[in-house]
Amino acid sequence: MDKGESSIKYVLSGEGATSIFNIDENTGDIHASKRLDREEQAYYTLRAQALDRATNKPVEPESEFVIKVQDINDNEPKFLDGPYTAGVPEMSPVGTSVLQVTATDADDPTYGNSARVVYSILQGQPYFSVEPKTGIIRTALPNMDREAKDQYLLVIQAKDMVGQMGGLSGTTSVTVTLTDVNDNPPRFPRRSDQYYVPESLPVGSSVAKIKAVDADVGPNAEMEYKIMDGDGHSVFKISVDKDTQEGIVTIQKELDYESKTSYTLRIEASNKHVDTRFISAGPFADTTTLKIIVEDVDEPPVFSSLLYTMVESEAAKVGTSIGTVSAHDPDASNSPVRYSIDRNTDLERFFNIDANTGIITIAKPLDRETNAVHNITVLAIESRDMELSFFIGKGSVAISILDINDNAPEFAMEYETNVCENASPGQVIQVISAVDKDDPSSGHWFYFSVPAETNNINFTLKDNKDNTASVITRRHGFRRQEQSIYYLPIVIVDSGSPSLSSTNTLTIRVCECDADGIAQTCNAEAYILPAGLSTGALIAILACVLTLLVLVLLIVTMRRRKKEPMIFDEERDIRENIVRYDDEGGGEEDTEAFDMTTLRNLNIIRDNKSRRDVTPEIQFLSRPSMRSVPDNVIFREFIWERLKEADVDPCAPPYDSLQTYAFEGNGSIAESLSSLESVSTNSEHNYDYLSDWGPRFKRLADMYGTGEDKLYS
């Protein structure tokens, strides 16, 4: 229908129309206005229609067609998961798979060779290789040693077009780490070593640390140490430090330089986890020899026994020997030992010990009832360095005190015994028992009785033969009005040898009882007061007591008034307070503070008080009278007089700092020991005996000796 007359117009619609594809409306030719990319969109569906240009009506139905974008090799292969890391055990055989790498190509795999990729290794040869088609990386050399080199960096290339010229390529890196296997045995850096250890090192202390070197790491380097042989196998033990893999040698028995000065140990180190593939390389163990030298130290004296047990009777006299302790110096010097008692364990000093022999004696009388067992600590110090020694041996002594019969029996308790007024003869009113502070080995046995000289018609005592006794009434009825309290002496004798006895008094009160024999009232005054005293009598007694109290108060008041000063004025309190405020005298003992009344009445004659402990050089006489002088002069003279009076009064406290104590007495019977006076005196005493008292008195002997040549020696 299109005859070339431009009567037909072509229209294009659909995907990409006008934006990517344009149509020439006159000729119908379709053109691409943009570069096409198959990887973005491989197909476009378009619709075309021919229209009458004049009427704009279609001249035929709309036609649909597809434009397919043909691929070209415009995309290089890419490793989407790169870079890679991998690990392979060291010493792996050739061809061991390490890792598979994969590259992708965005080109069309169905058209040509644009998406066909092959792999090659650019870096990492000759240690590793890669399969061209699969991208599997494998080891290419045997016996790769991690200890020589533990990490490799590979560069893998992927190229499309089957690797042909003109193909595009991409690369990635692969880091391969050789993992450790136990292919190295432990080795000691030295075949022998030597350590010095003081003998005072406590059990459990570390004496040496050794370590076998293993080039492997992790579990493959874990060690085990053991003592194979040597003379110190029972004295030392070895363990492993899990953090450092060191062998730690510790003491398991006390060291003694005097017994053995050195030990030799042969120690083996081996791997804890052994790889059987490498056993042929040699034994995975190594040995070394340790020599441990024991150094001598100054040790404290050692007692022959850890605990001394001694027994002594409490009847032993002061000075009696109880037992002996013994200690010796374990050092090679074997110095003599001196003994003493730790007084913190014997505060009351019951015992003494001979410093040289260790014999323990009694220093004070012993009493088993006070302390049955004495636990004391004995100290032992080397004689050669008692003042400098810091090492003191200690021994324990347990002294048990044997009992003797030195305590008389007595009532087991304070008995409150009652007897009913209507009691009948033979009635048991109390069962008594006894206690004894002693502790006989055969047990206590007491005998009860009433003194023979006591003819008691009221009560009797029956010994029950079981360390108890019963108090029994002997007559009918008791009356509180006649006698409310009875005292029954009871003799208690123990079974000791010799036996001891004591007389204890049982107090028995007469009580009114009910029908069941239970005491109701034991107060005798309940009968006496109603019969003897009336209410008026009680009031009279109270009135007398009140009158006496009033008289006492009056007497006390009169005495206080007599002590008050004779002169009163309005300024008394103020001035007296001022004077008392300035008084720096005797504190709590100063009860004679200055009084304004006394200051104004200076004409009172004061008796001189002489000191009883010294002979004063000057006796001050009291002044009988004073003429009228100004107040300040009166005060000054009065205070001066009181100061002089205080100097000769031994009972007066010091009123102020002006008081002096210059008098030193009449001298000593022994006279002065001054060297200046002794040289010039003509004393008839002979001091030559001072030279016999030893070196401490040599200087005195030189000064006071009769020889002229000794004066200035």
Side-chain angles (χ1 to χ4, degrees), residues 418-675:
N418 301 324
V419 61
C420 295
E421 288 184 308
N422 58 354
S424 58
Q427 181 178 341
V428 177
I429 61 173
Q430 182 71 59
V431 177
I432 61 173
S433 61
V435 293
D436 194 328
K437 294 181 180 178
D438 296 320
D439 187 18
S441 58
S442 59
H444 289 292
W445 193 261
F446 302 114
Y447 305 93
F448 301 87
S449 64
V450 176
E453 64 274 8
T454 302
N455 186 15
N456 197 313
I457 63 173
N458 300 304
F459 305 97
T460 185
L461 189 68
K462 177 186 176 183
D463 193 335
N464 298 324
K465 306 300 181 181
D466 60 354
N467 287 340
T468 65
S470 300
V471 180
I472 304 173
T473 58
R474 298 186 64 180
R475 66 182 179 87
H476 281 285
F478 295 86
R479 290 180 58 82
R480 284 181 291 167
Q481 294 86 345
E482 295 177 358
Q483 186 173 347
S484 61
I485 298 177
Y486 292 88
Y487 299 100
L488 178 64
I490 298 176
V491 177
I492 308 175
V493 183
D494 62 18
S495 58
S497 179
S499 62
L500 296 179
S501 65
S502 66
T503 301
N504 299 261
T505 301
L506 181 66
T507 302
I508 305 173
R509 301 177 65 87
V510 180
C511 301
E512 179 185 359
C513 301
D514 57 14
D516 296 329
I518 300 175
Q520 299 296 321
T521 304
C522 299
N523 188 4
E525 288 76 5
Y527 287 91
I528 297 173
L529 286 178
L533 292 177
S534 63
T535 304
L538 292 175
I539 294 174
I541 292 173
L542 292 175
C544 291
V545 172
L546 291 175
T547 303
L548 289 174
L549 290 175
V550 171
L551 288 175
V552 171
L553 291 174
L554 289 175
I555 292 171
V556 173
T557 304
M558 293 298 293
R559 287 187 177 181
R560 288 185 177 178
R561 288 187 177 182
K562 287 182 179 181
K563 292 182 179 180
E564 291 184 356
M566 297 175 62
I567 299 177
F568 299 85
D569 55 21
E570 296 178 354
E571 299 179 357
R572 174 183 178 277
D573 293 338
I574 299 175
R575 295 188 182 182
E576 182 176 354
N577 289 339
I578 294 175
V579 174
R580 287 179 182 271
Y581 180 82
D582 292 337
D583 183 8
E584 297 182 358
E588 293 180 357
E589 295 181 2
D590 183 6
T591 58
E592 298 179 9
F594 289 138
D595 190 305
M596 289 302 300
T597 304
T598 306
L599 292 176
R600 290 192 175 278
N601 291 274
L602 301 178
N603 294 330
I604 301 173
I605 298 176
R606 306 175 184 87
D607 295 333
N608 283 331
K609 300 177 183 178
S610 59
R611 298 183 65 156
R612 295 187 294 272
D613 58 338
V614 298
T615 303
E617 297 178 359
I618 302 174
Q619 295 291 341
F620 298 99
L621 300 177
S622 61
R623 302 175 60 162
S625 63
M626 300 180 66
R627 68 178 182 272
S628 176
V629 291
D631 284 351
N632 58 346
V633 177
I634 292 174
F635 290 166
R636 189 184 308 113
E637 290 184 359
F638 173 74
I639 294 174
W640 178 247
E641 182 178 357
R642 292 297 294 271
L643 288 174
K644 291 187 291 183
E645 189 177 274
D647 283 340
V648 297
D649 185 0
C651 300
Y655 282 98
D656 52 45
S657 60
L658 294 178
Q659 182 169 341
T660 60
Y661 300 89
F663 186 65
E664 295 182 357
N666 292 327
S668 172
I669 298 177
E671 298 184 357
S672 175
L673 292 178
S674 171
S675 59

Side-chain angles (χ1 to χ4, degrees), residues 673-686:
L673 292 178
S674 171
S675 59
L676 297 176
E677 183 179 352
S678 301
V679 173
S680 60
T681 185
N682 295 324
S683 173
E684 296 179 359
H685 292 288
N686 185 1

Side-chain angles (χ1 to χ4, degrees), residues 111 252 370 517 570 589:
Y111 180 77
Q252 60 179 353
T370 302
E570 296 178 354
E589 295 181 2

Side-chain angles (χ1 to χ4, degrees), residues 341-352 363-364 371 373-377:
I341 294 177
D342 184 357
R343 291 304 175 184
N344 290 325
T345 61
D346 185 25
L347 296 176
E348 298 186 24
R349 297 178 177 266
F350 283 107
F351 306 98
N352 288 329
K364 290 175 63 176
N371 193 352
V373 178
H374 296 265
N375 293 300
I376 63 175
T377 300

